[in-house]
Amino acid sequence: PPTLNRPYRPHGDVMDARTKQLLMSSLAVPIGAVIVTLAVIIVIGEMLLALADVAKAQESLDRWELWFALGLALLVILGIAFVASRPREALATLNKEVVIGSRPFFDPPPPPVDVRARTGPLGASSDIGEGYTLFAQNGALATVLGTLPGGTDYGKRFAGFLYAKGLHGASDELWIPIEAVIAVYPETQCAFLSIKGDETEHFGWDKPPETIRRGPNRIQEPI
């Protein structure tokens, strides 16, 4: 089995790939909003130009594009005023909280690690089996459902993977490399990892390894 006292950290190229992915995700929303805003401005501008009468350009009261723009602005203002004047009960749909994810933002953090989890002599990574609880640095992370043989992920060879179900809002499915285990206590069926609980998605452990995944392999970006 791999050395348990050796902390695991992903290879540099893996970190670079994940960093690029997170950076692109964070830029997609503002860039998309800018593109949509520009499109709306261009469309409205083209509509006003199409209504413009060049011959009467100096007579502002006869310029239909200005009246059209004024009417459109008044329509938007009246629509917002109508919505704002509605009673709270009538706006139940608009007042409904919208969140992404299954765990509420203000949920309490995971409970601290019970000192009794470190009871008994140290074991090896090969002792880990179904029912073991995996602990990250900030508390219980997942329950082991089974073990998988070694394989390749992000171009790096691993001795094996722990297939687990996340706890306290973690991903429903996790594939954690054996190399991430730093301590095993067979007496309490507990194993400790060298990561924080919020790093599993950053490392890509919420997706199957390349050697066992059902879809196409991840794209390896050149360094």
Side-chain angles (χ1 to χ4, degrees):
T3 304
L4 297 180
N5 292 326
R6 182 184 65 186
Y8 166 78
R9 289 296 174 189
H11 196 266
D13 57 350
V14 178
M15 294 294 291
D16 292 341
R18 296 295 296 176
T19 301
K20 292 179 181 178
Q21 180 180 354
L22 294 174
L23 181 62
M24 293 302 296
S25 300
S26 61
L27 291 177
V29 174
I31 292 177
V34 171
I35 293 175
V36 172
T37 303
L38 291 177
V40 172
I41 293 174
I42 293 173
V43 170
I44 294 178
E46 292 294 333
M47 293 173 61
L48 296 178
L49 291 175
L51 295 173
D53 189 349
V54 180
K56 299 181 179 180
Q58 301 301 323
E59 302 176 13
S60 58
L61 295 180
D62 294 332
R63 296 178 61 180
W64 292 103
E65 72 277 9
L66 297 181
W67 289 108
F68 176 80
L70 178 61
L72 187 61
L74 290 176
L75 184 63
V76 172
I77 293 174
L78 291 175
I80 296 175
F82 176 78
V83 173
S85 63
R86 297 299 87 195
R88 182 177 296 272
E89 295 77 13
L91 300 177
T93 303
L94 295 178
N95 290 330
K96 184 178 180 180
E97 296 183 357
V98 178
V99 296
I100 299 175
S102 57
R103 179 184 175 189
F105 185 80
F106 292 105
D107 261 13
V113 179
D114 191 340
V115 294
R116 292 174 295 181
R118 301 180 184 270
T119 303
L122 282 172
S125 59
S126 57
D127 296 325
I128 301 176
E130 181 179 358
Y132 267 66
T133 301
L134 301 178
F135 288 88
Q137 294 178 10
N138 53 343
L141 173 66
T143 300
V144 176
L145 301 178
T147 57
L148 299 170
T152 302
D153 195 31
Y154 281 117
K156 183 177 178 62
R157 180 74 183 178
F158 295 99
F161 298 91
L162 301 174
Y163 177 56
K165 177 179 177 58
L167 302 172
H168 307 295
S171 301
D172 290 337
E173 291 185 310
L174 293 171
W175 289 264
I176 301 174
I178 289 291
E179 283 81 351
V181 178
I182 57 175
V184 179
Y185 293 87
E187 183 174 324
T188 57
Q189 292 194 335
C190 296
F192 291 82
L193 308 176
S194 61
I195 63 166
K196 296 179 181 179
D198 57 355
E199 292 181 323
T200 53
E201 293 185 4
H202 179 71
F203 294 155
W205 295 349
D206 58 331
K207 298 178 179 63
E210 293 177 359
T211 51
I212 63 172
R213 69 184 319 188
R214 295 173 288 275
N217 291 341
R218 300 185 180 101
I219 299 177
Q220 297 290 334
E221 297 186 5
I223 298 177

